[in-house]
Amino acid sequence: MAAVLLLTGCTATSDSTPPSTSAAATAPAATTGPCVSDVATVIAAPASTAAALPAPLAASLDAAAQSSFKEAAAPGAIVGVRTPEGLWTSSYGFADPTTNAAMSTDMHLRIGSVTKTFTGTLILQLAEEGKLSLNDTIDKYYPGIPNGNTITLRMLANMTSGIASYYTQAFLDVYFAHPETIFTPDQLVAYGVSASPIFSPGEKFNYSNTNTVLLGKVIEKVTGQPVADVLQQRILAPLGLAGTSWPGDSPAIPAPHPQGYTLQGSSTPEDPTNATNWSPSFGWTAGAMISTVQDLLVYGRALGTGQGLLSPATQAERLQSFPEPAGYGFGFACVGGWVGHTGELPGFNATLYYDTTSDTSVVVLVNSDIASGSCTESPTLIDNPADLPCSSPATRIFVGLSTALGHPFVPNPGR
């Protein structure tokens, strides 16, 4: 069985793929000082323009994207950058390599664990309204969780609960044998509970998708609505994210969309599997969502500044929720001033990061979750450039773009 990168995403190399034994992630490497150095300025950033990015910068970004795309193991890629100077998007390669159909910037892709940022935002909105407290323990909302009377919602959001991820061997056996399987949130939680606790609440960090699924259950209990409706009412509609959707139990992706390829499950380096129509239900509020580059550029800025989503006070708390000088905070990560998330589901890989030092959003969406470089755990293609550091494809391209922007993103070593 090939290793899976599943719904991870706390660093540049931890994504949100399906059930993989390599999904456990470590906190980003420490630097110096707080990860977000000027919270007040970030929150108060004036509205940015949607005009076209100046031609010289667009050309530099295009060259960086093309270069890094050649080193990534993906048929196609969509990239986008939004700065105070303007907006730029582009696409590369194939949406469907079997027909040579080109990738285009209007396509919808699965975004994996970028979903966690939406879930975390909803929890913070409900806390603002007094409908829950971040210090509430999970047993108030969901019974049967080991240490549930001491695990707080805050611990679930920052991955310090001690609840294991549901990517147990029992889960993987079912998923890879039948990737069309529809899992309920309760089934996912049960898999995680079966391997829990892995440490005492608050003792340390461990990236676990069970945490974010439990937060989704809290959202539904508090609001009395399906999480899809809550997302639509509180984030998608207010921000005008018409291309972003919640798939529910359906494997369908809105048109237009590319075909996505993976080495997870029984795939081999010689013959990647088309995972486009694999069930996304195992991701739920930890990784099931679908979006476009245009929507994510809008959302990424809102996520970083809080504008249109949270009050200044709540956003300030969120931007200071990282274990300094870097780490995983309330539903997203911070590395060197970049805040956001990576995402991965079989066949798809995404990065969404906002640079708090320059009011810049960067999005990369690719139709592959296959790593490249000197990977020791993640499977790679036969023509793998082993002289490069191991990286998922979206992260590799994002690093190239960040370098062209003058603020290089430095991911943790990949596997």
Side-chain angles (χ1 to χ4, degrees), residues 77-94:
I78 302 169
V79 301
V81 174
R82 181 178 181 176
T83 81
E85 296 181 271
L87 177 71
W88 170 78
T89 61
S90 189
S91 60
Y92 306 91
F94 300 114

Side-chain angles (χ1 to χ4, degrees), residues 33 52 58 138 160 188 248 322 351 398:
I138 189 58
T160 61
L188 299 175
F322 309 104
T351 62
F398 169 49

Side-chain angles (χ1 to χ4, degrees), residues 69 72-78 90-105 107 109 257-261 274 276 347-348 365-368 397:
F69 173 63
I78 302 169
S90 189
S91 60
Y92 306 91
F94 300 114
D96 186 346
T98 67
T99 64
N100 289 336
M103 188 74 97
S104 60
T105 58
M107 288 187 164
L109 285 81
H257 68 79
Q259 301 298 299
Y261 294 86
N274 186 326
T276 307
F348 299 91
L365 302 172
V366 299
N367 56 338
S368 162
I397 298 169

Side-chain angles (χ1 to χ4, degrees), residues 168-260:
T168 62
Q169 192 60 52
F171 168 77
L172 294 175
D173 287 346
V174 173
Y175 186 80
F176 285 125
H178 302 284
E180 75 282 0
T181 300
I182 294 174
F183 295 94
T184 68
D186 291 331
Q187 288 175 319
L188 299 175
V189 171
Y191 281 118
V193 165
S194 71
S196 300
I198 54 177
F199 53 78
S200 298
E203 182 180 282
K204 55 186 176 181
F205 170 90
N206 186 75
Y207 190 85
S208 167
N209 292 299
T210 312
N211 289 325
T212 320
V213 168
L214 282 169
L215 290 177
K217 295 293 291 186
V218 171
I219 290 166
E220 292 196 331
K221 176 142 192 178
V222 169
T223 63
Q225 296 179 282
V227 70
D229 294 345
V230 183
L231 274 167
Q232 182 64 35
Q233 295 164 10
R234 290 177 169 269
I235 299 180
L236 306 189
L239 293 183
L241 306 183
T244 303
S245 59
W246 175 265
D249 293 336
S250 172
I253 303 175
H257 68 79
Q259 301 298 299

